[in-house]
Amino acid sequence: MLDAVTAPALPHVIHRGDYRPPDWLVDEVALDFALDPEATRVKARLSVHRNGAHERVLRLDGDGLTPRAVRVDGADADWRMDGPALLLDLTGDAHVVETEVEIAPAANTQLMGLYASAGLLCTQCEPEGFRRITFFPDRPDVLARYTVRLEADARRFPVLLANGDHVGGGELPGGRHWAEWRDPFPKPAYLFALVAGDLACNADTFTTRSGREVQLGIWVAAGDVERTHHAMRALKTSMAWDEQAYGREYDLSIFNIVAVADFNFGAMENKGLNIFNSRYILADPDTATDADYDAIAAVVAHEYFHNWSGNRVTCRDWFQLSLKEGFTVLRDQQFSADQGSPAVKRIEDVRALRAAQFPEDSGPLAHPIRPDQYIEISNFYTPTVYNKGAEVIRMLLVLLGPERFRAGSDLYFTRHDGEAATCEQFIQAMEDATGEDLAKFRLWYSQAGTPRVRATLTQDAPGGRARLRLDQAVPATPGQPDKQPMPIPLRIALFGQASGTKIAEQLVVLDESHAEILFDAVPEQPALSINRGFSAPVIVESDRSAADLAFLSAHDDDPFARYEAMQQLMIDTLVTGIAAGDADIAPVIEAVRRTLTDPALDAAFVAEAVLLPSEAFIGDQMLVVDPERIALVREGLRAALGRELEDDWRTVYERHAANGYDYNPTAKGARRLRTVALGFMAASGAKDVPQIALDQFARADNMTDRQGALGVLANGYSPEREEALAAFYARYRDNPLVLDKWFTTQALSTREDTLDVAKALVRHPDFTLSNPNRLRAVVGAFSLNQRPFHAASGAGYRFLADMILEVDRLNPQTAAKLVPPLGRWRRFDEGRAALMRGQLERIVATPVLSKDVFEQASKSLG
Ligand code: 0A1
Ligand code: ZN
């Protein structure tokens, strides 16, 4: 059954201010599963006790469950339903409550609760999936100890896993077997997990710093074990890193990871039994790109780090989600930075923030990192809660410095170990450990919207005093018309334009609406470097000239600021070109040439620095987005760069020629720059490039080079394109993760026919709505491809809305994640805005709609 609401009956809104501690607590849970894909019987025995003096009933959340038996202290009990929940009047202060239900994992298309995926049975409980398995107070502040007995057919499900330690098992009559697991750590229901299936294991061990041995297992389908070694290395590196960087040691004697093909998100941190979308586990050079390898290490680390930031200290309620997610994203970013190039990692993270979070923060779905209300909590696993949440905690690191930040995190972990905590308690621990007053800093938790900082640097006279004027404005967002100034930590430096040296450097905390900073006796004309290292998640507007930016792109000693200067130069040039029909592109060409030929720079940095801003990011800088003109002017600049620097691109391409695959930062950088160079060579229009790309494609001994070449070809119209696409399909048609790349490459193409291609791809025999990866590979990717998605006819919008409505019948969570691109209508011309609204209205008016999609679509109209 679908959790459906009928418009216009408005679903219930949950408010942060309404939090009340639970009426009843659960000490122990014993679960007993007789597993079967069609009909699984679940028995639960809960030891509950009254929390405080009150007479309220015991409310056990349920979702689609029908009780088959309910007993209290061993006797049949009177019970009643309140909608999906089970209510019991209990007379004493402590009771044992037993329930029994039957569920059908094979029919669970939502992928929440217990479901089937490629012959496996597995669970996803965060945020509210546990109530689809058994009746329970399904809220994160009810922490209980779990004992889990699993019973299943021994041939179909030889492996039976759950959280904690394996405490027993054996054969049963009729070809069945059983296993029992006990998790000694009290945990909220959202961290419960079980897996049953025919799985093979990559087994290893890790010895913690106090000398305990942990059995590690990565469980996958039999043929995939060889593709788990990178994930295993990442796991062991993360375990050691968390000990060293945060003083956090693993606490159980087993740590298992299972990869599943059908999964709504990236992965899940269930205690001692992480469950992963297989795309974040499986890798070998032939099937995974360098970006895939990096993402796997980051996600493995992220889920592992949750063992402390999420599991040992969990969230009191779902409004506190950023407490665990923002902090854990920061931790995984720090980990990845330590494994490779911190500068390139920072550039990638900021690019991701600008691509996903900045648009969210400036649109109808804007919310603070600690939201105040929701209809469906699944809609709040957002770039704001995750990525802006990480930026907010990173600002604490900037403000406090690494030692004091570490003292704060140590205090937070010790003080709240075993508890369900709040964002407020995290800040309080930071204050108590350091003596810092963070009263104003709390605004970052309550105010939505990306602050804008205007920076104006003037000098009284040559050689005289320089004056930096800073003004901040926090834009109005839904429900928050008036904002207070935020404390914004800005790393700033001045460089002398004549000497190229650094004249001054400091951290400025702008915590009023404006401030002035004076620099005495600045001997030469200064260039302003601001928000170095992206010290605050803000938009900086400055009147730096093309000459200033070109100078910084060559001389700034902060690699992020150097990248940023280049990006700003490109943006200024593109925006002028779009608005005025013409712009002086010479400074961009010169800056790219200089970066490309600077022997001191490493290839990975160069590859990031010379890339033009995306069409979407250019759109974000404009009052009214004109997708056609953006694409035209951007392609024009790409072609000019390709032609003007043709020899340089070819030199770079040859210098970084592949010579045997290895996964290390230098080799990765070389591969990245090589394909970036190939892209510019193609943009130049030179006739030999399709053949060069096809050669790269055919000779590649790794997926990075192969997919890189395919991506370049896919944007063009050459016969080589068709040849490469066909060869790629033939080679990988049986590997779903690689086939996703084949779909995505076509959905992201800059070709004129991409809208028709996308529509055709969803009719391809290998397309399916039931696998979230495949759906995102085509529909999600297409909706981010600005020009074809915003086709003036509105056909792109109609296509997306059709898909959302179709998917909503199967998987509301995944459907809802496709809605935001339609909500950007305010940023477009009237014609497009009306067409986008039309599709949102059509969605909201659909008689049977999930509350997930209803919330996103109705808010997007607002
Ligand atoms: N806690 C996970 C995110 C997650 C949320 C919901 C899921 O299923 C619907 C799955 C995963 C993380 O941050 O990795
Ligand atoms: Zn997480």
Side-chain angles (χ1 to χ4, degrees):
M1 248 291 281
L2 188 68
D3 176 17
V5 292
T6 306
L10 292 186
H12 182 58
V13 179
I14 300 172
H15 296 268
R16 182 163 63 88
D18 291 347
Y19 174 82
R20 268 197 1 212
D23 290 333
W24 290 84
L25 294 174
V26 184
D27 306 298
E28 287 282 338
V29 187
L31 297 174
D32 181 349
F33 289 85
L35 291 165
D36 181 277
E38 315 308 324
T40 289
R41 194 258 301 128
V42 188
K43 288 183 186 172
R45 194 176 71 238
L46 319 180
S47 308
V48 303
H49 75 263
R50 200 180 293 270
N51 189 24
H54 64 80
E55 311 235 300
R56 289 184 288 276
V57 295
L58 171 67
R59 165 181 289 268
L60 300 176
D61 298 303
D63 179 356
L65 301 179
T66 309
R68 291 163 52 131
V70 181
R71 279 182 296 277
V72 174
D73 300 329
D76 286 343
D78 284 336
W79 53 272
R80 60 185 192 280
M81 298 296 285
D82 178 17
L86 173 67
L87 305 189
L88 283 166
D89 290 303
L90 298 178
T91 49
D93 287 340
H95 296 278
V96 173
V97 174
E98 290 168 277
T99 63
E100 187 179 327
V101 298
E102 194 177 281
I103 51 181
N108 183 351
T109 58
Q110 296 184 39
L111 315 183
M112 281 297 279
L114 178 66
Y115 65 93
S117 172
L120 286 184
L121 293 177
C122 66
T123 53
Q124 173 55 41
C125 292
E126 186 181 6
E128 295 181 335
F130 193 67
R131 64 185 64 183
R132 294 166 54 78
I133 297 175
T134 189
F135 287 107
F136 197 79
D138 189 4
R139 43 187 287 169
D141 56 353
V142 173
L143 279 68
R145 283 196 180 77
Y146 284 65
T147 306
V148 178
R149 186 182 184 280
L150 306 172
E151 185 196 311
D153 183 272
R155 283 243 304 276
R156 282 178 78 184
F157 305 103
V159 176
L160 300 173
L161 306 172
N163 317 86
D165 298 314
H166 183 242
V167 292
E171 303 299 312
L172 291 169
R176 293 179 73 79
H177 71 151
W178 67 280
E180 193 167 291
W181 292 78
R182 167 135 182 105
D183 182 356
F185 292 94
K187 64 167 176 287
Y190 82 86
L191 291 173
F192 165 80
L194 76 79
V195 172
D198 189 359
L199 294 164
C201 182
N202 175 2
D204 207 329
T205 60
F206 177 82
T207 307
T208 69
R209 64 173 176 183
S210 70
R212 282 182 311 99
E213 189 173 88
V214 184
Q215 305 298 317
L216 310 176
I218 300 186
W219 299 83
V220 294
D224 284 333
V225 175
E226 283 311 310
R227 292 190 190 142
T228 62
H229 298 299
H230 175 64
M232 181 60 89
R233 263 193 309 275
L235 173 60
K236 292 166 79 173
T237 318
S238 324
M239 295 178 86
W241 186 91
D242 212 16
E243 294 182 347
Q244 174 263 316
Y246 280 89
R248 300 295 114 201
E249 190 175 328
Y250 188 61
D251 50 10
L252 287 163
S253 55
I254 297 183
F255 187 84
N256 280 322
I257 289 178
V258 180
V260 303
D262 304 284
F263 199 77
N264 282 346
F265 283 70
M268 181 61 211
E269 70 262 25
N270 318 297
K271 182 84 189 185
L273 177 55
N274 287 187
I275 298 182
F276 273 63
N277 185 324
S278 51
R279 67 176 297 201
Y280 292 115
I281 289 294
L282 301 179
D284 62 20
D286 184 53
T287 56
T289 62
D290 293 333
D292 295 328
Y293 271 69
D294 291 350
I296 287 169
V299 178
V300 167
H302 179 99
E303 304 311 327
Y304 174 73
F305 297 156
H306 267 316
N307 190 56
W308 275 94
S309 48
N311 301 2
R312 289 288 285 255
V313 183
T314 191
C315 298
R316 186 192 73 174
D317 55 74
W318 290 122
F319 295 103
Q320 318 298 327
L321 186 56
S322 201
L323 173 71
K324 75 177 175 82
E325 296 305 346
F327 190 21
T328 306
V329 170
L330 173 72
R331 279 150 56 66
D332 82 53
Q333 291 178 349
Q334 293 177 307
F335 167 79
S336 298
D338 282 354
Q339 308 308 306
S341 157
V344 172
K345 175 65 179 156
R346 191 69 188 126
I347 291 167
E348 289 168 354
D349 289 340
V350 174
R351 182 177 288 148
L353 185 82
R354 285 175 170 158
Q357 199 278 326
F358 277 23
E360 181 168 85
D361 228 1
S362 66
L365 298 173
H367 53 276
I369 66 166
R370 182 186 55 205
D372 291 314
Q373 55 193 61
Y374 62 76
I375 292 174
E376 171 51 63
I377 185 56
S378 300
N379 286 331
F380 285 80
Y381 288 75
T382 58
T384 296
V385 166
Y386 275 63
N387 303 60
K388 186 175 181 179
E391 294 298 326
V392 168
I393 300 178
R394 187 186 286 270
M395 282 190 287
L396 285 175
L397 178 55
V398 171
L399 288 166
L400 301 172
E403 284 84 26
R404 296 204 302 154
F405 180 82
R406 170 69 192 270
S409 83
D410 284 351
L411 179 62
Y412 166 72
F413 284 127
T414 343
R415 186 183 270 175
H416 297 292
D417 188 11
E419 290 180 5
T422 60
C423 297
E424 173 54 33
Q425 288 172 322
F426 182 85
I427 307 169
Q428 187 68 51
M430 287 286 161
E431 279 184 328
D432 292 350
T434 61
E436 190 84 15
D437 178 359
L438 297 171
K440 267 196 171 175
F441 189 84
R442 286 166 168 80
L443 286 168
W444 283 103
Y445 284 83
S446 56
Q447 291 194 157
T450 309
R452 285 179 179 268
V453 175
R454 178 123 213 98
T456 322
L457 181 69
T458 50
Q459 192 172 20
D460 299 347
R465 198 159 67 168
R467 194 185 295 271
L468 175 62
R469 160 100 193 189
L470 297 172
D471 294 272
Q472 69 159 296
V474 189
T477 48
Q480 297 189 333
D482 302 308
K483 300 285 175 49
Q484 287 172 252
M486 321 264 266
I488 300 176
L490 294 167
R491 287 199 168 114
I492 285 175
L494 296 188
F495 286 86
Q497 303 237 20
S499 63
T501 55
K502 189 154 56 185
I503 299 171
E505 181 169 18
Q506 71 186 82
L507 174 68
V508 175
V509 182
L510 173 65
D511 58 1
E512 301 293 337
S513 42
H514 50 84
E516 213 163 60
I517 295 121
L518 298 176
F519 300 89
D520 282 329
V522 173
E524 47 183 311
Q525 199 194 330
L528 171 68
S529 170
I530 184 166
N531 208 17
R532 292 155 67 75
F534 202 69
S535 56
V538 300
I539 295 168
V540 175
E541 292 162 354
S542 72
D543 47 11
R544 292 179 293 180
S545 66
D548 290 347
L549 294 169
F551 166 82
L552 289 166
S553 81
H555 292 99
D556 202 317
D557 64 345
D558 177 79
F560 178 80
R562 199 164 168 165
Y563 156 85
E564 188 75 336
M566 180 82 104
Q567 289 289 298
Q568 194 59 53
L569 177 60
M570 290 170 169
I571 284 281
D572 291 351
T573 308
L574 288 160
V575 169
T576 307
I578 291 161
D582 197 18
D584 178 12
I585 61 171
V588 173
I589 292 180
E590 183 49 25
V592 170
R593 192 193 57 73
R594 229 193 295 175
T595 302
L596 212 50
T597 52
D598 184 340
L601 296 174
D602 71 273
F605 175 82
V606 174
E608 296 301 329
V610 303
L611 273 187
L612 289 184
S614 70
E615 291 176 24
F617 189 66
I618 300 166
D620 292 343
Q621 319 305 311
M622 298 172 62
L623 232 47
V624 179
V625 184
D626 184 340
E628 297 292 343
R629 269 201 72 69
I630 290 172
L632 193 77
V633 173
R634 185 177 180 277
E635 278 313 308
L637 181 56
R638 261 174 73 73
L641 281 163
R643 280 192 310 270
E644 302 277 327
L645 304 177
E646 178 159 3
D647 292 346
D648 296 302
W649 296 120
R650 288 185 188 245
T651 308
V652 163
Y653 186 76
E654 255 126 56
R655 189 172 341 120
H656 294 95
N659 52 356
Y661 173 83
D662 189 21
Y663 175 73
N664 64 49
T666 311
K668 272 164 50 183
R671 281 191 287 272
R672 175 106 172 99
L673 184 53
R674 186 169 138 89
T675 289
V676 167
L678 183 66
F680 279 103
M681 284 157 60
S684 78
K687 295 279 172 294
D688 59 343
V689 179
Q691 188 55 50
I692 296 174
L694 189 62
D695 284 348
Q696 172 173 328
F697 176 87
R699 295 203 191 129
D701 64 352
N702 65 83
M703 181 52 84
T704 306
D705 288 340
R706 190 170 296 122
Q707 195 193 359
L710 185 69
V712 169
L713 285 168
N715 289 337
Y717 297 83
S718 65
E720 287 85 350
R721 170 193 199 262
E722 305 313 316
E723 192 179 331
L725 278 171
F728 193 93
Y729 179 79
R731 177 167 177 156
Y732 295 112
R733 60 178 304 172
D734 295 328
N735 183 322
L737 294 176
V738 187
L739 206 50
D740 287 341
K741 299 180 191 301
W742 183 81
F743 278 104
T744 298
T745 302
Q746 298 177 71
L748 286 181
S749 168
T750 55
R751 273 166 60 118
E752 293 294 326
D753 59 355
T754 297
L755 172 57
D756 293 333
V757 168
K759 286 187 188 164
L761 288 175
V762 300
R763 291 192 299 271
H764 190 280
D766 289 306
F767 183 80
T768 166
L769 289 177
S770 63
N771 178 267
N773 288 356
R774 186 60 45 90
L775 179 73
R776 287 188 284 257
V778 181
V779 183
F782 172 76
S783 72
L784 301 176
N785 191 348
Q786 182 161 283
R787 195 186 49 78
F789 174 61
H790 291 282
S793 66
Y797 310 145
R798 197 173 330 110
F799 170 62
L800 180 61
D802 288 348
M803 299 309 294
I804 290 169
L805 289 172
E806 243 186 282
V807 180
D808 194 42
R809 293 196 281 266
L810 300 170
N811 186 336
Q813 252 182 27
T814 294
K817 281 207 261 189
L818 296 172
V819 174
L822 286 170
R824 310 207 62 234
W825 55 271
R826 272 179 216 279
R827 310 273 305 108
F828 289 80
D829 57 88
E830 272 176 33
R832 287 186 171 88
L835 291 164
M836 291 165 89
R837 288 184 59 90
Q839 293 305 323
L840 287 167
E841 278 158 5
R842 175 183 156 222
I843 291 172
V844 173
T846 302
V848 179
L849 195 66
S850 69
K851 60 178 181 172
D852 308 56
V853 169
F854 174 79
E855 177 171 39
Q856 297 304 75
S858 60
K859 285 184 177 170
S860 295
L861 275 166

